[in-house]
Structures are given as structure tokens and as C-alpha cells.
Amino acid sequence: MDSIPTMREKLKARIDFLRGDFTLASGKKSDFYINGKTTTLRPDALNFAARIFLDMMEQDNADRVGGLTLGADALIGAITALSYDVGRPVEGFIVRKEPKGHGTGQWIEGPEITPGQKIIIIEDVVTTGGSAIKAIERVRESAAEANIVGVYALVDRLDGGEAALRDYGISLKSIFTKDDLV
């Protein structure tokens, strides 16, 4: 198995960094776009990202991972699957953008969040932090005892997300920043 620094370099080479005119999820206009979905839907890149995030989670003693659907889905699945293989199982959950329209009407899918679990919110790309904050709010509404210890991102675009999350009382750690990719 490759070392974390080697996986990080291989992952960097697989990130889709596009130039052009783009409107981001935050509504901001940008002359570049980092496509986290195409990156995390490549088997090698997803494997590298999941292994790096698992290493970060071990360092932070975190035991639960979740995030807002769609950008976090592939990462959550890979992290939970690989965590079992390395003998340190981590449960996952997915936060819906809208409550489930039938059945229980839940915002969160996955095993119940229990007191004492140290939770990481995962993102593919952070711009303003808005998606991570939505996920944090939904988790806190659904489980008052939730212990969210941080947000991890594949890439931080350096557009204010870290400050917004810090103002929210949550730290942001990313594998890369925009500056690493330019």
C-alpha cells in the first residue's frame, strides 16, 4: 500500500480542475471549477481520498462520517467500506437536501447518531462552507447530543469556507487547497 504522501500526490493528479466561466453552488461566479464528483467517482482517486480521510479521522479520534448528499455520498461510502477493511469500522450517514417525503420523513439516512460519537462532516469541495453548515445544522437538529469535531474536504477553494465554519465553531481540514492545484 502507498504511503499517505504518495497517495496524496496520486490523488492530486486525478482532480478535475477546469478553467472557464462557472456558477458555483454558492451562487458565486468563478473562472475555475473543481469537479469533486468526477474525481470521487474514479476508483483510484476515491480510494486514495478515502484512505487519506481515514488517516485524518484516526488522528482526530473520530468514529462517524457524514455529509450533505451528493458531494459527500461517494466519499462516505468509500470511507465506511475501507474502515471495515482496516479494522477500525466507521459508520456513515447522509444528510438529505429535503426531508424524506414518505415513511419517517427523515433528514438523515444511516444508523442513529448516538451520544459520544465523534463526527466528521465530509465535503468534496468547500467554497463558502454553506453545504457543510447545512449538514451540521441538520445533524444538530436530529441529534442534540451530536459531537461534530470537524469538517474535512477534498479541496478548499479558499473562498471563505474556513472562516464561516470557524465562526460556526467548527474547524476545516482539507487534503488540498485551490493553491495546491493551480
Side-chain angles (χ1 to χ4, degrees):
M1 183 186 326
D2 291 328
S3 68
I4 296 294
T6 300
M7 284 188 278
R8 190 176 184 281
E9 285 307 308
K10 288 180 176 181
L11 175 59
K12 181 178 176 181
R14 299 296 278 158
I15 292 180
D16 281 342
F17 187 94
L18 309 170
R19 294 281 187 185
D21 294 317
F22 303 97
T23 302
L24 307 175
S26 64
K28 286 186 170 188
K29 298 288 187 184
S30 178
D31 63 353
F32 70 94
Y33 181 72
I34 301 163
N35 195 335
K37 280 93 173 145
T38 58
T39 300
T40 60
L41 291 172
R42 291 186 173 116
D44 58 340
L46 181 59
N47 185 281
F48 299 145
R51 290 183 187 280
I52 294 166
F53 283 135
L54 273 172
D55 183 67
M56 292 166 63
M57 289 180 73
E58 187 170 0
Q59 291 175 28
D60 287 339
N61 199 31
D63 50 20
R64 194 74 190 263
V65 63
L68 194 65
T69 195
L70 179 67
D73 294 358
L75 290 165
I76 295 164
I79 290 167
T80 58
L82 286 173
S83 73
Y84 181 82
D85 288 346
V86 299
R88 192 174 174 277
V90 171
E91 290 185 332
F93 63 89
I94 295 172
V95 179
R96 293 175 173 274
K97 292 184 180 176
E98 297 294 329
K100 189 174 178 180
H102 59 283
T104 60
Q106 296 183 89
W107 281 95
I108 297 176
E109 294 296 338
E112 183 179 346
I113 296 170
T114 58
Q117 289 181 313
K118 293 183 178 179
I119 300 168
I120 295 297
I121 300 297
I122 202 97
E123 285 278 358
D124 56 352
V125 180
V126 168
T127 302
T128 63
S131 293
I133 289 170
K134 284 179 191 174
I136 291 165
E137 288 173 348
R138 294 295 176 241
V139 169
R140 287 180 174 167
E141 288 169 7
S142 298
E145 70 281 356
N147 180 13
I148 300 169
V149 297
V151 172
Y152 292 171
L154 180 63
V155 181
D156 177 1
R157 287 179 50 95
L158 302 175
D159 280 335
E162 183 177 21
L165 288 162
R166 188 176 340 108
D167 290 346
Y168 217 74
I170 303 289
S171 66
L172 171 65
K173 292 182 180 180
S174 62
I175 297 175
F176 304 107
T177 69
K178 168 193 75 172
D179 293 345
D180 295 321
L181 305 175
V182 174

